[in-house]
Amino acid sequence: MSGAVLVVGGTGEARDLAGRLVDSGIGVLTSLAGAVARPRLPEGEVRIGGFGGPDGLRDWLVGHRPLAVVDASHPFAARISRSCVVACAATEVPLLRLERPAWAPGEGDRWHEVDDVREAAEVASRLGRSLLVTTGRRDLAPFAALTEVRVLARCVDPPTQPLPSHVEVLLDRGPYTVDGEQALMREHGVDVLVTKNSGGPLVAAKLRAARELGVAVVMIRRPAPAGAPTVPDVDAALAWVQGRLPDDVATSHRP
């Protein structure tokens, strides 16, 4: 894939960027971690599976020599973002982080911000008795230990470990509507929403639904940035890639 762009994907922004690159005639390979059984595939080439940490990614970059790397992974995919920073620095491959802005509380929100899933479970158990947990199937252990509350865990794929009877799993995937989220919260008597600050519009309806119903929100803060230059949207990422095209290639992509 020499001369193409490696997009570290898994987000809607990554899919949009891959499509824009393909439309612009720029080669693109999107890498997906394989954490979701039936991922939404982007345009262009796709690889599924990890690189084996920063050393594995460094070796991959040396062997494939991409034009640039755009890390458009999930805001909470801290491991791959760190690997990108280390591997790209070692190989002098240009790196950009594409990360949508975080959500911010507004008037009427009852947010309780925490640093991790374990703290989220602790705080949520003090705030209510019926929790809607949308942190993902891999983060359910602290909630499974909360035997004094009811937990509705919404996941894309089924959890890999058995869960106790007070944890009900709802398999579903966004985008969601405010009306639908309110109906779900009313049906299950939800008084606390637990979520990660992933940002973006795809699953933001739950926050407005919680605000309008007076449901408390336990919001897990994003991990610290890995250190790459960052842009907030696909337009800026596309412009950055186009600015790194070789002169002869860039000329052919001008309108």
Side-chain angles (χ1 to χ4, degrees):
M1 65 165 292
S2 178
V5 176
L6 172 65
V7 175
V8 180
T11 60
E13 290 80 10
R15 290 191 297 275
D16 290 347
L17 178 60
R20 296 278 294 278
L21 291 169
V22 169
D23 289 345
S24 299
I26 301 171
V28 57
L29 171 67
T30 299
S31 177
L32 302 177
V36 177
R38 295 179 301 279
R40 292 169 175 156
L41 297 178
E43 295 184 57
E45 294 185 58
V46 177
R47 74 178 295 276
I48 296 180
F51 290 98
D55 291 344
L57 179 55
R58 180 200 61 209
D59 293 344
W60 190 95
L61 294 176
V62 169
H64 293 80
R65 296 168 302 161
L67 170 71
V69 175
V70 179
D71 173 18
S73 60
H74 192 276
F76 283 79
R79 183 178 301 176
I80 185 60
S81 291
R82 287 194 297 269
S83 292
C84 287
V85 169
V86 173
C88 287
T91 56
E92 299 185 341
V93 174
L95 170 65
L96 181 73
R97 172 70 173 151
L98 168 56
E99 183 172 289
R100 56 184 175 251
W103 293 316
E107 184 177 354
D109 284 327
R110 297 173 54 206
W111 280 26
H112 302 261
E113 295 188 84
V114 298
D115 288 325
D116 55 40
V117 174
R118 191 167 300 280
E119 186 183 1
E122 254 178 53
V123 172
S125 68
R126 297 197 299 266
L127 292 173
R129 287 293 175 266
S130 182
L131 317 183
L132 172 58
V133 177
T134 63
T135 57
R137 63 173 180 163
R138 298 180 178 179
D139 293 318
L140 296 180
F143 301 98
L146 300 177
T147 55
E148 71 279 12
V149 303
R150 299 191 313 276
V151 177
L152 177 64
R154 185 165 66 191
C155 313
V156 174
D157 292 319
T160 56
Q161 300 295 325
L163 295 168
S165 58
H166 72 277
V167 180
E168 178 184 350
V169 175
L170 172 64
L171 299 181
D172 199 4
R173 178 187 298 205
Y176 304 103
T177 66
V178 175
D179 288 345
E181 297 291 67
Q182 288 184 342
L184 179 69
M185 292 178 185
R186 288 193 180 102
E187 177 185 352
H188 291 270
V190 169
D191 49 17
V192 183
L193 166 66
V194 183
T195 190
K196 294 177 176 179
N197 197 333
S198 58
L202 187 65
V203 293
K206 61 189 173 186
L207 300 178
R208 180 177 164 190
R211 180 190 311 130
E212 294 180 359
L213 294 177
V215 169
V217 176
V218 178
M219 182 68 71
I220 302 173
R221 299 183 184 95
R222 292 182 177 184
T230 302
V231 296
D233 56 50
V234 173
D235 285 345
L238 179 62
W240 180 86
V241 170
Q242 291 173 329
R244 274 146 188 81
L245 295 175
D247 289 342
D248 57 335
V249 179
T251 300
S252 69
H253 288 81
R254 288 182 186 134

